[in-house]
Amino acid sequence: MTDRAAVLAALDALTDPKSGQGLVAAGLVQGLVVAEERAGFVMEVAAGDTALYAPVRDAAEAALKAVPGIDRVSVVLTAETAPAARPARTASLSPQAVDQGRPKAPVATDRPAHVRRVLAVASGKGGVGKSTVAVNLAAALSARGLSVGLLDADVYGPSLPTMLGMSGKPEYRDNMMEPHRVHGLKAMSVGLLTKADDAMIWRGPMASQALTQMLTQTRWGTEEAPLDILVVDLPPGTGDVQLTLVQKTPLDGVVIVSTPQEVALADARRAHTLFQKVGTPTLGLVENMSGPVFGRGGAEAEAGRLGVSFLGDLPLDAALREGGDAGVPVVVADPDGDIAARFASFAEALAKKLGLQGFQTQL
């Protein structure tokens, strides 16, 4: 077990740029967690000081990584959303948590260059069809005339190369990766950067670094032709990749995918809670595999309990699976079919929520 005192000493050796004190003495280390091979804390600053403290956050991450026994690091920089007095601190805060009773927004470095909106597609549980929804939703948004990018952030199980029929490493130009262009989308996946059968035996920092590289070093748009929306297909769960995403870019919203069973809904609830804590709105729930096998209506009822929109359901349909295996999303393969109509409805609702009605730029 890593020595907590060593962690505190490493953080207090860094200087608060405003007070001149160490970070611990200045009260900037909140909710510190030190466990086996990992450490993390929340650093809350005034809203106007986020740019000032971004380098401090980076220095704190480097300092924690230098402590013997620490392999995984999470330093979340948050900003006060109101000038009200700070409530009492809660000793049990986790690294990604914020003070109870007052939501905080994540302090991201910046959104990717020339990208107007960033939408995450998430699930608390694997195997619920999240990637299938992300791919077809992106295709449905593209069918509306929007310029759409699709980022495969599931670094441990990348599925976009198969589901979009992509292969070959991306080209580099001016130190930027060029995304693949397929089915009217700009797409990037870690599966394009590694061999197809490689197992991603990566610790959290390596996964986070891979996401950061794809997010910020891909030429998603240009000044003359910005990308209207980047859809990010997240891995299941509430871990390092999710936290890295909210740290690295402002998210305009998240869509959560679940099947109707309670075991999946419980995890979807946790995913909603994570994004709620970091100030990212849940724009809607999608119920996948709805029908007699797994039941129906669970996600709609859950959306009502959470106070978020229910975008709609998708039946357990062989066409969705076949499209993914063939590398042609069903929205593209059968644009006039029932499944495509459902995704068109999702895309319409999300475009309105995201204020994309006025953006109609083709790739």
Side-chain angles (χ1 to χ4, degrees), residues 19-361:
S19 70
Q21 297 178 300
L23 296 189
V24 177
L28 291 172
V29 179
Q30 302 178 31
L32 177 65
V33 171
V34 180
E36 187 174 0
E37 296 185 339
R38 65 185 179 93
F41 68 95
V42 175
M43 181 163 57
E44 182 185 40
V45 300
D49 290 337
T50 55
L52 175 65
Y53 280 91
V56 180
R57 174 194 59 200
D58 295 341
E61 289 181 340
L64 289 179
K65 290 175 184 176
V67 175
I70 296 293
D71 291 324
R72 298 174 58 195
V73 168
S74 175
V75 179
V76 178
L77 178 61
T78 67
E80 295 181 1
T81 56
R86 180 181 300 176
R89 295 174 187 165
T90 304
S92 61
L93 285 178
S94 62
Q96 69 269 29
V98 293
D99 289 345
Q100 297 295 321
R102 185 156 54 92
K104 306 293 190 302
V107 178
T109 28
D110 201 357
R111 67 175 66 247
H114 311 302
V115 174
R116 288 169 166 152
R117 301 284 188 271
V118 181
L119 174 70
V121 179
S123 70
K125 188 176 183 61
V128 299
K130 169 188 50 59
S131 294
T132 297
V133 170
V135 166
N136 282 279
L137 178 58
L141 288 164
S142 178
R144 293 180 53 81
L146 296 169
S147 174
V148 182
L150 183 57
L151 171 59
D152 187 353
D154 192 347
V155 296
Y156 296 110
S159 55
L160 257 59
T162 298
M163 300 185 79
L164 292 177
M166 299 187 299
S167 62
K169 292 187 177 181
E171 296 182 359
Y172 282 80
R173 184 160 53 91
D174 299 327
N175 296 319
M176 296 288 285
M177 293 185 291
E178 297 292 337
H180 280 48
R181 298 188 180 221
V182 58
H183 303 309
L185 305 171
K186 292 182 177 181
M188 178 59 68
S189 169
V190 74
L192 300 173
L193 305 174
T194 60
K195 295 180 181 179
D197 295 330
D198 279 353
M200 303 304 165
I201 309 174
W202 290 352
R203 294 190 184 275
M206 295 179 67
S208 297
Q209 183 179 1
L211 171 62
T212 300
Q213 181 181 356
M214 292 188 294
L215 187 69
T216 62
Q217 296 179 23
T218 300
R219 199 184 315 277
W220 295 110
T222 65
E223 187 173 354
E224 298 77 19
L227 195 75
D228 292 326
I229 181 168
L230 176 63
V231 178
V232 182
D233 179 22
L234 286 170
T238 54
D240 291 303
V241 172
Q242 285 81 356
L243 291 174
T244 296
L245 182 64
V246 298
Q247 279 187 299
K248 296 300 180 183
T249 186
L251 287 180
D252 296 286
V254 59
V255 171
I256 298 176
V257 181
S258 179
T259 51
Q261 314 101 298
E262 175 55 30
V263 67
L265 291 169
D267 289 330
R269 202 174 301 132
R270 295 184 184 98
H272 168 72
T273 299
L274 166 66
F275 287 104
Q276 186 180 45
K277 285 182 176 180
V278 298
T280 299
T282 298
L283 300 183
L285 263 64
V286 170
E287 180 173 289
N288 194 26
M289 306 182 196
S290 181
V293 177
F294 296 110
R296 58 167 50 91
E300 183 173 12
E302 186 63 35
R305 285 191 289 269
L306 296 176
V308 301
S309 298
F310 178 63
L311 294 178
D313 59 12
L314 295 165
L316 188 62
D317 194 306
L320 278 168
R321 190 268 304 166
E322 292 166 355
D325 289 347
V328 183
V330 68
V331 166
V332 175
D334 186 15
D336 298 320
D338 172 63
I339 298 298
R342 293 174 189 246
F343 276 107
S345 173
F346 302 168
E348 172 73 19
L350 291 168
K352 289 180 179 178
K353 290 174 180 287
L354 294 169
L356 288 170
Q357 300 299 87
F359 299 144
Q360 301 292 318
T361 58

